[in-house]
Amino acid sequence: MSVTIEERGRPNTNEYRVFFKNSEGKYISPFHDIPIYANESENIFHAVVEVPRWTNAKMEIATKDPLNPLKQDMKKGNLRYVANVFPHKGYIWNYGAIPQTWEDPNHKDSDTGCCGDNDPIDICDIGNKVCSQGEIIKVKVLGTLALIDEGETDWKVIVINTEDPEAADFNDIDDVRRLKPGYLEATVDWFKRYKVPDGKPENQFAFNAEFKDRDFAIKTIKSTNEFWKALISKKTNAGELNCMNTSVSDSPFCCSVEDADAVVKSVSLSSFSNAFDTWFYYEM
């Protein structure tokens, strides 16, 4: 689908926002309005790139804000950056989320024994292209890793951009192991240690940190889509999540074009900048 972005504010500030527009120039939510499927019959999904590969700013879909623009995460009043945990430089894939999915915090996963993390399901795109922030890509699912983040299930779905010149060679998780040796091991290492520079312990994993295959991953994505359908139709409690959307016609949260315009115009445009790019060395 054709989507453009509109930046408000300056990068590396707490007021920076990235809003999304459809082909008609109308504002949309990347969480709720972008279809989950690019091609349902072939299980090709859309993904929203939140963080381009090699960058550090922890940008994410603002699930609690109207229209859910991208914004930089905050902790204890400070902008969040992922440290360069040697030898990794920033994020080692294009990192993002699949729209119209939701890891329900009230549902205990039968495989992990933990509840969802209250976010759209995450993706790690292993393709060769370094994508742009806010780019919408079509992805082929290859497998998934079950991160347990502070007691919550946080699936990390391994995908490849369908436009990648090598995409046809990748069909399951074993293809990643065969054609990109070391990448899956680096992925586990990255997720295990990325919070250590902030003084937190290493993350844990379900399944002994083993990747599950394509079929398992697709089943997991589809289950999170069902949780999202209950969320957007108000059949489950949204809590602090903002379900404002402009295209889900049967949703009680569907708003007018004028209401969406008002949300964007209300965002402030001035603040200061503070970049981050330092290294953290980890004693094994």
Side-chain angles (χ1 to χ4, degrees), residues 68-120:
N68 316 115
L70 297 187
K71 72 174 183 181
Q72 192 166 350
D73 191 23
M74 301 276 291
K75 284 290 184 183
K76 299 179 180 178
N78 296 313
L79 295 169
R80 285 191 68 189
Y81 296 87
V82 166
N84 297 315
V85 181
F86 189 82
H88 309 304
K89 172 65 177 76
Y91 284 73
I92 62 173
W93 347 255
N94 296 303
Y95 188 75
I98 295 178
Q100 296 186 343
T101 63
W102 178 51
E103 296 193 56
D104 187 347
N106 300 307
H107 172 77
K108 181 178 286 190
D109 189 280
S110 60
D111 292 305
T112 67
C114 297
C115 294
D117 70 348
N118 206 30
D119 285 326

Side-chain angles (χ1 to χ4, degrees), residues 6 14 33 68 94 136 151 153 158 161 169 255:
E6 179 179 312
N14 61 356
D33 289 312
N68 316 115
N94 296 303
I136 310 301
T153 302
I158 307 302
N161 190 334
D169 297 328
C255 74

Side-chain angles (χ1 to χ4, degrees), residues 16 24 30 41 101 129 136 149 159 166 173 194 209 227 229 282:
Y16 179 61
E24 299 174 350
S41 64
T101 63
K129 176 185 176 182
I136 310 301
D149 190 350
V159 304
E166 298 176 349
I173 199 68
Y194 82 102
F227 294 138
K229 288 177 181 177
Y282 185 81

Side-chain angles (χ1 to χ4, degrees), residues 179-242:
L179 297 172
K180 290 181 180 283
Y183 209 165
L184 296 180
E185 292 80 1
T187 295
V188 171
D189 183 66
W190 194 98
F191 281 117
K192 179 189 291 186
R193 301 194 287 150
Y194 82 102
K195 288 188 176 181
V196 171
D198 298 326
K200 294 186 177 182
E202 293 181 348
N203 278 323
Q204 303 299 311
F205 304 87
F207 310 113
N208 196 31
E210 295 179 1
F211 287 83
K212 306 301 284 185
D213 65 13
R214 171 185 181 272
D215 290 343
F216 185 100
I218 289 173
K219 182 184 74 171
T220 301
I221 295 167
K222 290 184 176 183
S223 71
T224 61
N225 177 239
E226 293 301 316
F227 294 138
W228 172 83
K229 288 177 181 177
L231 176 72
I232 203 68
S233 60
K234 212 173 183 179
K235 293 179 180 176
T236 191
N237 183 13
E240 296 181 343
L241 297 182
N242 196 301

